[in-house]
Amino acid sequence: MAIEYIDTPAKLSEICARIKAAPWIALDTEFLREKTYYPKFCLLQIATPDWVACVDPITLAQLDELFDVLYDGSIIKVLHSSRQDLEIFYQLTGKLPSPIFDTQVAAPLLGYQDNPGYAMLVSHLLNVNLNKAHTRADWSKRPLSEAEIQYAADDVIYLCKIYQLMRDKLSALGRLDWLHPDFSELSNPALYEVLPEHAWRKIKGKNKLTGKQLSIIQALAEWRESAAQSENRPKGWLIRDELLFDIAKLQPETVADLSQIRGINERTVSRYGSTLCKIINAAKNRPPIPLHEDGRPSKKTQQQEAIVDLLTAIVRIRAEENALNPNILATRKDLESLLFNNDEGDCALLHGWRYSMAGKELLGILRGELLLGIKEDNLQIIAR
């Protein structure tokens, strides 16, 4: 199949007309973000079973016509691991396309592991081993080589084939509709809005800090996220995580104190030193945000452990009935989240097909609306 390279307004209009006529399209993006906070959009690959094209967003100054058709609600957009691709669309337009079909999200309902890689699905479903030669290519340079364009196009060429196979298998199993809530959630803007005040939650090792140290690292993480966003620079370029821990532990009060911390460079001290010291001194005088905001205790009681064991048994039964790996349906961490939060929070069991298969039932048990019993050596759930 010939690959069309779209780098003029006339070619773009032509490909947009083809997209309009398609019931579904496969999409993928190439981007760079090693030197920026936000991804730099470098290439958009689009395919149907009949044609494949690579759109050059660097050469084309105006993409409104393209986004108009991509956001057409009558056209299914097929992607794999779509979050980063959709993040780019959201940053560029402030909107998200729908409907979406994500092959990574759908794969567990066909017995695959949770979050399977694209290459693994291509190999398993199509018996094709993808070329990885250009995984680290600089997609911002122009012109792209023929080999790079072919590499990029292969992602959507095979995605078309995977989608058709997965769609047919899911339909035969009666599971295609199960995925609608999961796919709808992918078009929720809240997934793509990074709030600086929540940045500290992603820092590994924070549970080793308490009191003033925890307050400081929470405040510094919020500042770093906000500064990285405004300057469009990687967070680690401002201050690395390990340095945040050193600052939180040493609690420097002045710029001179800050400059003595091992590993901090002069440019950081010169540019941000005064601001950082103000943040540190203010954070020391307020209590930290609790580590377990979700209500989950740091240590569970024997009763709580037993309840989670009971919920695990229900998950195993429902997973076996549907020929799924129990860990795909729910992990122990998911069940703990459900126990301590019930119908609040972002537990996977509260959304999509997992809620329909087991989450709703588990909530009923936790609320005392459903009872467990054993009949003829089988665990049964009955209404109270």
Side-chain angles (χ1 to χ4, degrees):
M1 186 184 300
I3 303 167
E4 300 178 63
Y5 194 78
I6 311 301
D7 57 356
T8 68
K11 290 180 181 179
L12 184 65
S13 294
E14 181 183 343
I15 210 67
C16 286
R18 291 195 206 173
I19 295 172
K20 287 180 183 178
W24 60 269
I25 54 173
L27 294 176
D28 189 34
T29 63
E30 302 297 345
F31 57 87
L32 297 177
R33 69 185 318 165
E34 287 84 356
K35 299 180 180 179
T36 59
Y37 180 90
Y38 297 105
K40 181 180 180 181
F41 187 25
C42 298
L43 198 69
L44 174 65
Q45 303 96 280
I46 311 171
T48 71
D50 302 316
W51 55 265
V52 59
C54 292
V55 179
D56 185 345
I58 293 177
T59 303
L60 290 164
Q62 182 58 258
L63 294 173
D64 288 352
E65 183 180 9
L66 174 64
F67 284 117
D68 284 344
V69 293
L70 291 182
Y71 285 60
D72 186 330
S74 67
I75 302 170
I76 297 172
K77 275 66 68 172
V78 181
L79 303 101
H80 179 86
S81 187
S82 61
R83 291 278 293 267
Q84 287 188 311
D85 304 305
L86 296 177
E87 178 189 0
I88 291 173
F89 297 152
Y90 184 66
Q91 289 168 1
L92 291 172
T93 68
K95 299 184 296 182
L96 289 157
S98 66
I100 299 295
F101 186 102
D102 189 319
T103 54
Q104 186 178 70
V105 173
L109 283 182
L110 293 173
Y112 292 98
Q113 66 188 43
D114 211 12
N115 300 319
Y118 179 64
M120 186 275 283
L121 287 180
V122 172
S123 176
H124 191 273
L125 288 168
L126 304 176
N127 198 28
V128 172
N129 293 318
L130 290 175
N131 179 2
K132 299 181 180 179
H134 300 286
T135 302
R136 303 295 297 174
D138 180 356
W139 296 104
S140 66
K141 71 176 179 62
R142 293 297 182 269
L144 295 172
S145 70
E146 289 186 12
E148 288 170 332
I149 294 171
Q150 182 67 59
Y151 171 89
D154 279 346
D155 283 345
V156 285
I157 290 171
Y158 294 118
L159 186 56
C160 284
K161 298 176 181 180
I162 286 177
Y163 167 64
Q164 292 174 96
L165 287 172
M166 294 182 74
R167 179 194 59 193
D168 292 346
K169 289 183 178 184
L170 288 165
S171 182
L173 291 169
R175 297 179 178 180
L176 195 57
D177 291 344
W178 293 9
L179 290 160
H180 289 168
D182 300 82
F183 292 157
S184 295
E185 181 62 18
L186 290 170
S187 295
N188 179 3
L191 290 178
Y192 309 95
E193 295 172 351
V194 181
L195 301 177
E197 58 266 32
H198 295 162
W200 66 272
R201 296 175 180 173
K202 295 183 178 181
I203 296 180
K204 295 179 180 179
K206 60 185 176 296
N207 57 319
K208 297 178 181 179
L209 302 179
T210 59
K212 293 180 180 180
Q213 293 180 353
L214 182 57
S215 290
I216 291 170
I217 206 164
Q218 288 170 342
L220 290 177
E222 178 178 350
W223 167 83
R224 184 180 66 170
E225 196 80 29
S226 181
Q229 289 176 352
S230 64
E231 298 179 22
N232 195 22
R233 300 173 65 209
K235 292 182 292 185
W237 285 21
L238 273 66
I239 299 182
R240 302 185 311 277
D241 278 7
E242 58 267 29
L243 194 52
L244 287 182
F245 277 92
D246 290 341
I247 294 173
K249 292 173 181 177
L250 296 172
Q251 303 175 28
E253 295 185 355
T254 66
V255 174
D257 294 336
L258 182 67
S259 66
Q260 297 304 308
I261 295 178
R262 182 179 180 182
I264 196 166
N265 61 58
E266 294 181 5
R267 183 177 181 277
T268 299
V269 174
S270 174
R271 187 167 185 178
Y272 306 115
S274 179
T275 298
L276 291 174
C277 289
K278 289 179 182 177
I279 292 170
I280 293 164
N281 289 322
K284 286 193 293 187
N285 295 315
R286 63 171 182 260
I289 302 168
L291 283 171
H292 299 285
E293 286 187 296
D294 58 3
R296 190 183 311 176
S298 56
K299 186 175 182 179
K300 294 179 288 299
T301 66
Q302 287 297 317
Q303 284 290 326
Q304 290 167 340
E305 292 282 11
I307 292 171
V308 175
D309 289 339
L310 185 65
L311 299 180
T312 300
I314 303 301
V315 166
R316 288 176 178 169
I317 291 170
R318 295 296 173 253
E320 183 180 14
E321 290 172 349
N322 291 278
L324 294 176
N325 183 322
N327 287 329
I328 289 173
L329 178 53
T331 64
R332 191 170 184 87
K333 185 177 179 181
D334 291 329
L335 295 173
E336 291 173 0
S337 178
L338 195 69
L339 170 61
F340 295 112
N341 295 295
N342 270 223
D343 58 353
E344 298 179 359
D346 58 358
C347 174
L349 284 162
L350 297 175
H351 308 284
W353 64 268
R354 290 177 173 86
Y355 177 76
S356 301
M357 188 180 292
K360 184 177 181 181
E361 196 170 53
L362 295 173
L363 280 176
I365 292 170
L366 290 173
R367 294 168 177 166
E369 299 165 355
L370 298 175
L371 299 177
L372 295 177
I374 298 175
K375 185 176 181 181
E376 298 177 354
D377 295 329
N378 290 319
L379 187 63
Q380 294 189 343
I381 300 173
I382 56 176
R384 189 164 187 168

